[in-house]
Amino acid sequence: MNDFDFFAGSWNVANRKLVKVLSGSDEWDEFPGYSVASRHFDGAASFDEVTFPTKGFSGLTVRVFNHETRQWSIYWASSSRGVLDTRPMVGAFEGNRGEFHGEETHEGGPVRCRFIWTVNGPDAARWEQAFSADGGQTWETNWTMDFSRA
C-alpha cells in the first residue's frame, strides 16, 4: 500500500503533451511544471498539486488504496474545469512500475485511458498517459511527465 510513498515532497516536472490526440500527429508541446505531493493514511493515500505556470492552470490528484482489492484508485481535478473527475484510474504496482486503466472522454466520445508510473530511484519518476480508441488493442501516448526531485 505504500507504492506512492516515493512521491512525497517537491518536484520539478518536464511535460510533453501531444498537440492533437488520436490523429496520427507527432507534434509535441513541451512545458514546465512544479508538483508538491503528500502521503496520508500511513501510505494508503497520496495527494499532489501540480502547477503549470506557462499554461495558467493547476491540477490535483487524489490516490486511495483499496486494502481488499490491493489496487489504487486515482482521481483528477483541474483548476480550469473546477470538477473532480469521479471516474477513477484503477491499477497496481509491480516493483517500480504501476499500470492503471480507466475511461476518458475525447472529442465527446469514450476512449480507454492508461497511466504508467515508473519509479527511477528516490529522485526521479515518470508518468505517462495513453489513449486507445480500439478498446485497448493499440495505445497512443499523449502526455508524459518526467519528475526530478526539487
Side-chain angles (χ1 to χ4, degrees), residues 21-32:
V21 176
L22 296 176
S23 70
S25 172
D26 63 357
E27 182 183 353
W28 292 86
D29 182 20
E30 297 184 19
F31 52 97

Side-chain angles (χ1 to χ4, degrees), residues 44-124:
S46 172
F47 174 89
D48 76 89
E49 181 179 8
V50 61
T51 303
F52 307 105
T54 62
K55 297 298 182 183
F57 76 96
S58 298
L60 65 85
T61 307
V62 176
R63 301 171 193 86
V64 182
F65 185 76
N66 182 319
H67 294 277
E68 257 183 51
T69 65
R70 312 293 299 163
Q71 292 191 312
W72 289 90
S73 293
I74 302 175
Y75 302 89
W76 167 259
S78 167
S79 66
S80 63
R81 288 191 51 223
V83 175
L84 179 66
D85 190 345
T86 57
R87 299 169 301 172
M89 300 292 293
V90 177
F93 272 82
E94 279 193 36
N96 289 338
R97 183 181 185 277
E99 189 165 325
F100 308 86
H101 292 266
E103 297 293 326
E104 262 298 332
T105 302
H106 174 68
E107 295 183 348
V111 294
R112 295 286 300 151
C113 184
R114 178 185 71 197
F115 291 172
I116 295 176
W117 270 100
T118 308
V119 181
N120 299 314
D123 297 324

Side-chain angles (χ1 to χ4, degrees), residues 2-13 34-39 46-50 61 63 93 117-119 121-122 124-127 145-149:
N2 299 94
D3 297 313
F4 283 100
D5 283 3
F6 77 91
F7 202 43
S10 299
W11 298 85
N12 296 311
V13 186
Y34 307 97
S35 179
V36 177
S38 54
R39 177 183 180 275
S46 172
F47 174 89
D48 76 89
E49 181 179 8
V50 61
T61 307
R63 301 171 193 86
F93 272 82
W117 270 100
T118 308
V119 181
R126 180 179 179 91
W127 170 86
M145 301 172 102
D146 288 303
F147 293 85
S148 58
R149 182 84 55 193

